[in-house]
Amino acid sequence: MPDASHPHVNADSGHENLGQLTAEIDIHSRPFRTLANEVGKTIVGQEGLIGRMIIALLSGGHLLIEGVPGLAKTTAVACLSKGISTGFQRLQFTPDLLPADLIGTQVYRPQTQEFVVQKGPIFSNLILADEINRAPAKVQSALLEAMQERQVTIGGETFFLEEPFMVMATQNPVEQEGTYPLPEAQMDRFIMKVVVDYPNRDEELQILRRMSKTKATIEVESVTTPAEIMTARSLVDRIHVSSPVEEYIVDLVMATRKPAAYGLDLDDLIQYGASPRATINLTLAAKANAFLQGRAYATPEDVKAIAMDVLRHRVIITYEAEAEEKTAEDIVALILQTVPVP
C-alpha cells in the first residue's frame, strides 16, 4: 500500500486518508479490470485500445478510434457495451445522414393536432458513432452539443442525456475514399484519439482460429453497471495529483504552444498547439490510469502512458511539417522526450 511519503503524493493528503482511499479504489477498480479481461476474450491483441476505452469511460470523456477497415474497432466497442448493463446504440454514419437521424425531430400528430418530440438514438448511454468521418459536417457538428453539454435541443426544447454518456467514434484514415476530415473543434471534444494498427503474426493466427466461423459470436459477460461507473468516477476525482505532476502536465501542453521555451525547434512545424481542454483531459486520464492500477495518486508515468493519445489530435501541424513528412505523433513524441520528468 502506498504511503504519504511517496514523492508523487500531496503532502497534505494524510496517511490515513490515502490508505482509506486506496482500499476503496482497490475494491471499485476490480470490475473494470475484469471488464478488460472480458473484452479481451473476443478481441485479440488490442490491449491498448481496450485500456483506453475503459480510461475514457472512467474519465467521463469520449473516444476517437482510427484505423483501416477490418481491425475490429466496431467489435471492440460492441464488446465493451456488452460488458456493462446499460443502453447501447450503434449509429452507422453515411454521406446521406441528417442531424435529425441522430438527435431526433418533432413529429406532427394529426389526432391531437400538435407536434411531439421523437427522440433519436443519441438518447442512450454508450453511443458507437461508426465511421464518423463518412458523414457531412452538419451531422458531425450535431454531436458537439451532446458531447460537450450532455444535452440535446430539439425544436427549441432542451433534453438532458442520462449519465453515464459516452461517444465512441470510429473513423477511417482521411486518405481513404469518401471520408470528410473532422473539424478541429470536434476533434478537441474527444478525450483521446487511439490509432489501431494491424495485428502481428501470432495475433493474426489467433484471430484466424477464434473468428473463422460462419457465425462468430461475441461472448462477453456483463460485469459492471452504470451505478458502479458513477461511483468509480467519483473515486477518480479524489485521486491525488501532486504539484510536480501538475506542473509536468502543464509543461507538456505548453510545449505544444511555445516549443522554443522548452528548447524545441518546432515553431515552423506547429500551426496550433493543444487547448486548455488538453490539460484537463490529460489530468483526468492520468488519474483514471492510476485508478485502474489500484493507486490513490497519479505519477508522471501515468501521464506519459496516455499523453500521446490525449495530445496527438490536438496538435495541428503546418504545411511545412507535411512537406518534411513530420506528423503530429512525431512532434508529441519529441516533446515527451524533451520535457523533464519530475
Side-chain angles (χ1 to χ4, degrees), residues 11 14-15 40 46 58-59 66 94 114 131 164 175 188 202-203 242 246 250 263 289 291 294 309 315 333:
H15 179 82
Q46 298 287 9
L58 291 168
S59 307
E66 182 180 290
T94 56
E114 60 183 7
E131 297 188 312
E175 298 84 12
D188 199 35
D202 290 340
E203 290 165 350
S242 65
E246 287 177 337
V250 170
N289 195 61
F291 174 87
D309 294 321
V315 174

mmCIF file of all heavy atoms in Angstrom, residues 11 14-15 40 46 58-59 66 94 114 131 164 175 188 202-203 242 246 250 263 289 291 294 309 315 333:
data_model
loop_
_atom_site.group_PDB
_atom_site.id
_atom_site.type_symbol
_atom_site.label_atom_id
_atom_site.label_comp_id
_atom_site.label_asym_id
_atom_site.label_seq_id
_atom_site.Cartn_x
_atom_site.Cartn_y
_atom_site.Cartn_z
ATOM 1 N N ALA A 11 1.517 16.336 0.007
ATOM 2 C CA ALA A 11 1.936 16.268 1.406
ATOM 3 C C ALA A 11 0.764 16.396 2.360
ATOM 4 O O ALA A 11 0.782 15.856 3.462
ATOM 5 C CB ALA A 11 2.954 17.380 1.672
ATOM 6 N N GLY A 14 -2.472 13.183 3.775
ATOM 7 C CA GLY A 14 -2.665 12.454 5.031
ATOM 8 C C GLY A 14 -2.569 10.957 4.841
ATOM 9 O O GLY A 14 -3.179 10.394 3.951
ATOM 10 N N HIS A 15 -1.785 10.294 5.709
ATOM 11 C CA HIS A 15 -1.536 8.854 5.582
ATOM 12 C C HIS A 15 -2.833 8.054 5.685
ATOM 13 O O HIS A 15 -3.105 7.177 4.877
ATOM 14 C CB HIS A 15 -0.550 8.431 6.670
ATOM 15 C CG HIS A 15 -0.234 6.970 6.648
ATOM 16 N ND1 HIS A 15 0.693 6.420 5.796
ATOM 17 C CD2 HIS A 15 -0.741 5.925 7.355
ATOM 18 C CE1 HIS A 15 0.760 5.116 5.983
ATOM 19 N NE2 HIS A 15 -0.106 4.792 6.920
ATOM 20 N N GLY A 40 -11.220 -8.802 -23.776
ATOM 21 C CA GLY A 40 -10.064 -9.498 -24.336
ATOM 22 C C GLY A 40 -10.352 -10.935 -24.749
ATOM 23 O O GLY A 40 -9.582 -11.534 -25.510
ATOM 24 N N GLN A 46 -5.472 -6.205 -28.835
ATOM 25 C CA GLN A 46 -5.781 -4.769 -28.808
ATOM 26 C C GLN A 46 -5.868 -4.283 -27.365
ATOM 27 O O GLN A 46 -6.769 -3.536 -26.998
ATOM 28 C CB GLN A 46 -7.105 -4.486 -29.548
ATOM 29 C CG GLN A 46 -7.116 -4.854 -31.016
ATOM 30 C CD GLN A 46 -6.304 -3.892 -31.874
ATOM 31 O OE1 GLN A 46 -5.595 -3.035 -31.360
ATOM 32 N NE2 GLN A 46 -6.397 -4.038 -33.178
ATOM 33 N N LEU A 58 -14.059 5.920 -17.520
ATOM 34 C CA LEU A 58 -13.842 6.357 -16.135
ATOM 35 C C LEU A 58 -13.635 7.871 -16.038
ATOM 36 O O LEU A 58 -13.913 8.470 -15.000
ATOM 37 C CB LEU A 58 -12.622 5.644 -15.546
ATOM 38 C CG LEU A 58 -12.765 4.141 -15.301
ATOM 39 C CD1 LEU A 58 -11.410 3.512 -14.998
ATOM 40 C CD2 LEU A 58 -13.742 3.864 -14.169
ATOM 41 N N SER A 59 -13.139 8.471 -17.120
ATOM 42 C CA SER A 59 -12.862 9.914 -17.120
ATOM 43 C C SER A 59 -14.078 10.746 -17.491
ATOM 44 O O SER A 59 -14.028 11.975 -17.408
ATOM 45 C CB SER A 59 -11.727 10.237 -18.107
ATOM 46 O OG SER A 59 -10.601 9.446 -17.871
ATOM 47 N N GLU A 66 -9.167 5.383 -34.611
ATOM 48 C CA GLU A 66 -8.859 5.454 -36.039
ATOM 49 C C GLU A 66 -8.094 4.212 -36.487
ATOM 50 O O GLU A 66 -7.187 3.734 -35.808
ATOM 51 C CB GLU A 66 -8.018 6.696 -36.352
ATOM 52 C CG GLU A 66 -7.704 6.842 -37.831
ATOM 53 C CD GLU A 66 -6.871 8.071 -38.133
ATOM 54 O OE1 GLU A 66 -7.409 9.193 -38.019
ATOM 55 O OE2 GLU A 66 -5.683 7.916 -38.469
ATOM 56 N N THR A 94 -23.216 7.841 -42.602
ATOM 57 C CA THR A 94 -23.164 7.752 -44.060
ATOM 58 C C THR A 94 -23.286 9.161 -44.647
ATOM 59 O O THR A 94 -23.744 10.091 -43.957
ATOM 60 C CB THR A 94 -24.317 6.877 -44.602
ATOM 61 O OG1 THR A 94 -25.565 7.413 -44.128
ATOM 62 C CG2 THR A 94 -24.182 5.433 -44.140
ATOM 63 N N GLU A 114 -50.952 18.398 -32.816
ATOM 64 C CA GLU A 114 -49.802 19.037 -32.172
ATOM 65 C C GLU A 114 -48.518 18.293 -32.549
ATOM 66 O O GLU A 114 -48.549 17.147 -32.989
ATOM 67 C CB GLU A 114 -49.965 19.066 -30.646
ATOM 68 C CG GLU A 114 -50.103 17.691 -30.016
ATOM 69 C CD GLU A 114 -50.326 17.768 -28.519
ATOM 70 O OE1 GLU A 114 -50.498 18.887 -27.995
ATOM 71 O OE2 GLU A 114 -50.308 16.706 -27.871
ATOM 72 N N GLU A 131 -17.696 4.980 -38.259
ATOM 73 C CA GLU A 131 -17.199 5.691 -39.443
ATOM 74 C C GLU A 131 -17.703 7.128 -39.455
ATOM 75 O O GLU A 131 -18.294 7.600 -40.431
ATOM 76 C CB GLU A 131 -17.576 4.940 -40.726
ATOM 77 C CG GLU A 131 -16.939 3.554 -40.811
ATOM 78 C CD GLU A 131 -17.158 2.883 -42.152
ATOM 79 O OE1 GLU A 131 -18.309 2.878 -42.626
ATOM 80 O OE2 GLU A 131 -16.183 2.365 -42.709
ATOM 81 N N PRO A 164 -24.204 7.371 -17.194
ATOM 82 C CA PRO A 164 -23.026 7.797 -17.957
ATOM 83 C C PRO A 164 -23.343 7.889 -19.445
ATOM 84 O O PRO A 164 -24.040 7.040 -19.988
ATOM 85 C CB PRO A 164 -22.010 6.680 -17.684
ATOM 86 C CG PRO A 164 -22.849 5.476 -17.390
ATOM 87 C CD PRO A 164 -24.083 5.977 -16.709
ATOM 88 N N GLU A 175 -7.109 9.529 -45.741
ATOM 89 C CA GLU A 175 -6.681 9.284 -47.123
ATOM 90 C C GLU A 175 -7.655 8.370 -47.863
ATOM 91 O O GLU A 175 -7.607 8.250 -49.080
ATOM 92 C CB GLU A 175 -5.280 8.645 -47.145
ATOM 93 C CG GLU A 175 -4.177 9.504 -46.544
ATOM 94 C CD GLU A 175 -4.090 9.380 -45.034
ATOM 95 O OE1 GLU A 175 -4.737 8.466 -44.474
ATOM 96 O OE2 GLU A 175 -3.407 10.216 -44.411
ATOM 97 N N ASP A 188 -11.322 18.196 -30.679
ATOM 98 C CA ASP A 188 -10.932 18.592 -29.321
ATOM 99 C C ASP A 188 -11.897 18.058 -28.270
ATOM 100 O O ASP A 188 -11.561 17.991 -27.085
ATOM 101 C CB ASP A 188 -10.850 20.124 -29.242
ATOM 102 C CG ASP A 188 -10.026 20.600 -28.067
ATOM 103 O OD1 ASP A 188 -9.033 19.917 -27.724
ATOM 104 O OD2 ASP A 188 -10.364 21.641 -27.481
ATOM 105 N N ASP A 202 1.465 -13.613 -34.725
ATOM 106 C CA ASP A 202 0.872 -14.511 -33.729
ATOM 107 C C ASP A 202 -0.579 -14.131 -33.444
ATOM 108 O O ASP A 202 -1.446 -14.998 -33.295
ATOM 109 C CB ASP A 202 1.685 -14.486 -32.429
ATOM 110 C CG ASP A 202 3.043 -15.161 -32.606
ATOM 111 O OD1 ASP A 202 3.188 -15.951 -33.559
ATOM 112 O OD2 ASP A 202 3.951 -14.883 -31.796
ATOM 113 N N GLU A 203 -0.840 -12.814 -33.354
ATOM 114 C CA GLU A 203 -2.201 -12.340 -33.100
ATOM 115 C C GLU A 203 -3.120 -12.680 -34.284
ATOM 116 O O GLU A 203 -4.270 -13.065 -34.095
ATOM 117 C CB GLU A 203 -2.186 -10.832 -32.835
ATOM 118 C CG GLU A 203 -1.543 -10.463 -31.505
ATOM 119 C CD GLU A 203 -1.201 -8.990 -31.396
ATOM 120 O OE1 GLU A 203 -1.287 -8.271 -32.418
ATOM 121 O OE2 GLU A 203 -0.820 -8.554 -30.291
ATOM 122 N N SER A 242 0.046 15.437 -7.299
ATOM 123 C CA SER A 242 0.967 16.347 -6.606
ATOM 124 C C SER A 242 1.334 17.529 -7.492
ATOM 125 O O SER A 242 1.164 17.486 -8.727
ATOM 126 C CB SER A 242 2.240 15.591 -6.203
ATOM 127 O OG SER A 242 2.933 15.181 -7.362
ATOM 128 N N GLU A 246 1.345 18.004 -11.602
ATOM 129 C CA GLU A 246 0.507 19.040 -12.223
ATOM 130 C C GLU A 246 1.351 19.925 -13.147
ATOM 131 O O GLU A 246 0.950 20.241 -14.273
ATOM 132 C CB GLU A 246 -0.158 19.896 -11.154
ATOM 133 C CG GLU A 246 -1.289 19.203 -10.403
ATOM 134 C CD GLU A 246 -1.876 20.070 -9.303
ATOM 135 O OE1 GLU A 246 -1.178 20.988 -8.813
ATOM 136 O OE2 GLU A 246 -3.026 19.830 -8.918
ATOM 137 N N VAL A 250 1.184 20.583 -17.292
ATOM 138 C CA VAL A 250 1.104 21.922 -17.893
ATOM 139 C C VAL A 250 2.283 22.152 -18.839
ATOM 140 O O VAL A 250 2.113 22.711 -19.933
ATOM 141 C CB VAL A 250 1.041 23.009 -16.793
ATOM 142 C CG1 VAL A 250 1.208 24.401 -17.391
ATOM 143 C CG2 VAL A 250 -0.279 22.919 -16.028
ATOM 144 N N GLY A 263 13.281 24.553 -25.404
ATOM 145 C CA GLY A 263 14.452 24.140 -26.164
ATOM 146 C C GLY A 263 14.131 23.309 -27.385
ATOM 147 O O GLY A 263 14.978 22.552 -27.863
ATOM 148 N N ASN A 289 -5.996 6.247 -15.155
ATOM 149 C CA ASN A 289 -4.970 5.218 -15.319
ATOM 150 C C ASN A 289 -4.472 4.743 -13.955
ATOM 151 O O ASN A 289 -4.288 3.537 -13.730
ATOM 152 C CB ASN A 289 -3.809 5.760 -16.156
ATOM 153 C CG ASN A 289 -2.903 4.671 -16.677
ATOM 154 O OD1 ASN A 289 -3.316 3.794 -17.423
ATOM 155 N ND2 ASN A 289 -1.648 4.694 -16.266
ATOM 156 N N PHE A 291 -6.185 4.859 -11.193
ATOM 157 C CA PHE A 291 -7.312 4.120 -10.616
ATOM 158 C C PHE A 291 -7.283 2.661 -11.064
ATOM 159 O O PHE A 291 -7.444 1.742 -10.255
ATOM 160 C CB PHE A 291 -8.627 4.784 -11.036
ATOM 161 C CG PHE A 291 -9.867 4.038 -10.621
ATOM 162 C CD1 PHE A 291 -10.447 4.255 -9.371
ATOM 163 C CD2 PHE A 291 -10.475 3.126 -11.478
ATOM 164 C CE1 PHE A 291 -11.592 3.560 -8.989
ATOM 165 C CE2 PHE A 291 -11.617 2.433 -11.102
ATOM 166 C CZ PHE A 291 -12.169 2.651 -9.861
ATOM 167 N N GLY A 294 -4.981 0.623 -9.267
ATOM 168 C CA GLY A 294 -5.283 0.472 -7.840
ATOM 169 C C GLY A 294 -4.564 1.471 -6.956
ATOM 170 O O GLY A 294 -4.407 1.255 -5.754
ATOM 171 N N ASP A 309 -2.005 9.721 -26.736
ATOM 172 C CA ASP A 309 -3.401 9.595 -27.171
ATOM 173 C C ASP A 309 -4.219 10.841 -26.852
ATOM 174 O O ASP A 309 -5.195 11.143 -27.537
ATOM 175 C CB ASP A 309 -4.043 8.363 -26.516
ATOM 176 C CG ASP A 309 -3.404 7.067 -27.002
ATOM 177 O OD1 ASP A 309 -3.097 6.986 -28.200
ATOM 178 O OD2 ASP A 309 -3.186 6.162 -26.190
ATOM 179 N N VAL A 315 -2.663 18.645 -31.687
ATOM 180 C CA VAL A 315 -1.541 19.381 -32.262
ATOM 181 C C VAL A 315 -1.763 19.445 -33.775
ATOM 182 O O VAL A 315 -1.729 18.425 -34.458
ATOM 183 C CB VAL A 315 -0.198 18.687 -31.929
ATOM 184 C CG1 VAL A 315 0.948 19.384 -32.646
ATOM 185 C CG2 VAL A 315 0.034 18.684 -30.422
ATOM 186 N N ALA A 333 5.930 12.995 -29.630
ATOM 187 C CA ALA A 333 6.978 12.081 -29.153
ATOM 188 C C ALA A 333 8.237 12.860 -28.769
ATOM 189 O O ALA A 333 8.872 12.580 -27.742
ATOM 190 C CB ALA A 333 7.305 11.051 -30.218
#
